[in-house]
Every structure is written in C-alpha cells, then in structure tokens.
Amino acid sequence: MVKFVDSELEQLKREVSQMWTLVYNQIEQARDAVMGLDRTLAQQVIVRERRVDAFELKIDSDVEDFIALFTPVAVDLRFVLAILKINGDLERIGDYADGIARFIRDAETDVLDQELLEQLQLGAMFSRVLTMLGELQQAFQNENAALATAVLSQDDFLDQINKASSAILADYARNHPDSIPFCLGLGGVFRKLERTGDHLTNIAEEIVFYIDAKVLKHCSLEG
C-alpha cells in the first residue's frame, strides 16, 4: 500500500513538472513574440493555452482522487495541497502568457522601437521571470526549500521595473502620439509580468510549506 501511495505521489509530481515546463515555454515564447513582434509565434502561444488549461483540470482531478482514495496526512497531505495551489498559480501564469501573445497578435504596428524596449528593461524582466520559474521548478523537483526561499527576494526586481515603466511609457507616448494604443498595451505586458512574479512568490511559499511545514505567507523574510 505504501509503495502504491508513493507511486501515485510521484505521478502527481511528474504531471506538475510537465505543466511547469509547458508554462515556462509559454512565457519564453511570449517573450520572443514581444521582442521580435512575431505574430506567428504569438498565435502558437494562444493555441497552446488550451493545453495549459487541460493540464490544470487533469492535475486538480488527480489530486482530488488521491485525497478521496488515500486520506493523506502529514507531509503527504501538505504535498497534495501544495500541488493544488501551485497548479492554480501555474495556470494563471499561462493566462498571462496568453494575454501577452494576444496583445502582439492584435498590435497595429510593424516596427518596435528597440531603444524604448532597452530603456524599459523588458527583456530583463522576462529573463528574471524565466529564471524564477526555472529555479522554482528545480526547488520543487529536488525538495529544496532553501532555493525556493531564495527566489522570494527576486520579486522586488520585477516590482521595480514595473513601477518605472509607467513614466517611461507615458513620456514616450507624449512624444509619439501615434504610439499611444501600443504603449497602453505594452503597459499591460509589464503588469502581467509583475503579477506573474506574485504567483511565483506564492509557489515558493507553497514549496517551503510542504517541505518544512513553515507558513511564510504574511511573514517577513527576516521574521
């Protein structure tokens, strides 16, 4: 019985890792679509969103079945509860990738001002999101609470870039009135990436919770 339970838990872990990789690829391709104004790539991200949604539903269903069949306690219960929450956060991140892709697909512009993108640090913001996603996947797979905790502090970088983007975009729009719709949409990209950081913070907290039985939510890192 114990071996069967362990086997089921490993299967759940594999499913979440597959979902994770899919969402990582969605963010990565959304980045490439934005930075290269690639509508074809954006459309691929939009089409694959259905796979993200399907994964979420399957994982939720499998977790519910596991709880009903085995009535887990202690670390096993923490693990499956964490999976439920992580699964939801990953799905939301997939939604943000889809939203970013839709903005590029529908954008009424054919040229990107590369100097503006550099000033906004959009590439750096995407890179940090992908780094956090990758490190958290590693922390989850290896049950590394220290790595998950270390990711928490990286969210500040995303907040700073998002905060600075508003003034930069507003100034650019004043000087380039034709670009106002695009600037508004680009502002939405920054907000989606900032919210992605919030979901990644949630994931880090869930990993620490199931490994160490610590609740980090509403606590300072120093506390």
Side-chain angles (χ1 to χ4, degrees):
M1 179 69 173
V2 173
K3 284 187 177 180
F4 186 69
V5 169
D6 288 344
S7 173
E8 291 294 301
L9 288 171
E10 279 300 316
Q11 177 60 26
L12 285 173
K13 194 171 187 178
R14 279 194 296 272
E15 287 179 6
V16 173
S17 290
Q18 289 168 351
M19 167 84 154
W20 218 308
T21 298
L22 177 58
V23 169
Y24 182 98
N25 291 338
Q26 288 286 85
I27 289 287
E28 189 174 46
Q29 296 212 311
R31 175 200 62 189
D32 294 344
V34 172
M35 304 304 285
L37 200 61
D38 189 330
R39 291 181 176 85
T40 300
L41 197 53
Q43 183 60 30
Q44 290 174 14
V45 172
I46 294 164
V47 169
R48 271 197 306 271
E49 171 62 12
R50 295 192 208 101
R51 289 183 59 200
V52 176
D53 292 341
F55 247 123
E56 185 209 15
L57 292 175
K58 182 176 187 335
I59 291 169
D60 275 358
S61 176
D62 289 349
V63 169
E64 289 165 7
D65 289 347
F66 180 87
I67 292 172
L69 284 169
F70 302 111
T71 319
V73 296
V75 67
D76 288 349
L77 180 60
R78 293 200 308 272
F79 178 71
V80 293
L81 291 177
I83 280 183
L84 275 178
K85 293 182 179 179
I86 290 170
N87 187 39
D89 282 310
L90 288 172
E91 191 276 334
R92 289 299 296 141
I93 294 170
D95 284 347
Y96 293 138
D98 176 71
I100 291 168
R102 288 177 187 276
F103 157 64
I104 290 301
R105 183 194 64 183
D106 300 335
E108 295 182 358
T109 185
D110 295 316
V111 180
L112 278 182
D113 188 327
Q114 294 300 320
E115 189 176 327
L116 172 64
L117 292 184
E118 288 179 18
Q119 188 180 3
L120 288 166
Q121 296 189 74
L122 182 56
M125 196 175 194
F126 268 111
S127 293
R128 183 60 59 93
V129 164
L130 288 166
T131 295
M132 292 169 72
L133 255 174
E135 289 180 354
L136 285 174
Q137 185 175 13
Q138 184 181 345
F140 174 76
Q141 289 173 332
N142 299 331
E143 298 187 351
N144 187 333
L147 180 56
T149 302
V151 171
L152 288 169
S153 62
Q154 297 187 46
D155 187 46
D156 290 342
F157 180 77
L158 303 180
D159 293 339
Q160 291 165 10
I161 293 181
N162 178 55
K163 187 175 180 181
S165 69
S166 298
I168 295 169
L169 285 168
D171 185 60
Y172 187 85
R174 275 193 297 270
N175 295 319
H176 305 82
D178 291 346
S179 73
I180 289 175
F182 185 80
C183 286
L184 289 171
L186 200 54
V189 172
F190 282 90
R191 288 189 294 276
K192 287 178 175 63
L193 291 175
E194 189 272 333
R195 289 171 190 153
T196 293
D198 293 340
H199 286 284
L200 291 170
T201 295
N202 293 343
I203 289 172
E205 291 169 349
E206 290 304 324
I207 292 171
V208 174
F209 167 69
Y210 97 74
I211 295 171
D212 289 347
K214 292 178 183 174
V215 179
L216 296 185
K217 211 172 194 65
H218 308 307
C219 297
S220 69
L221 290 178
E222 292 78 26

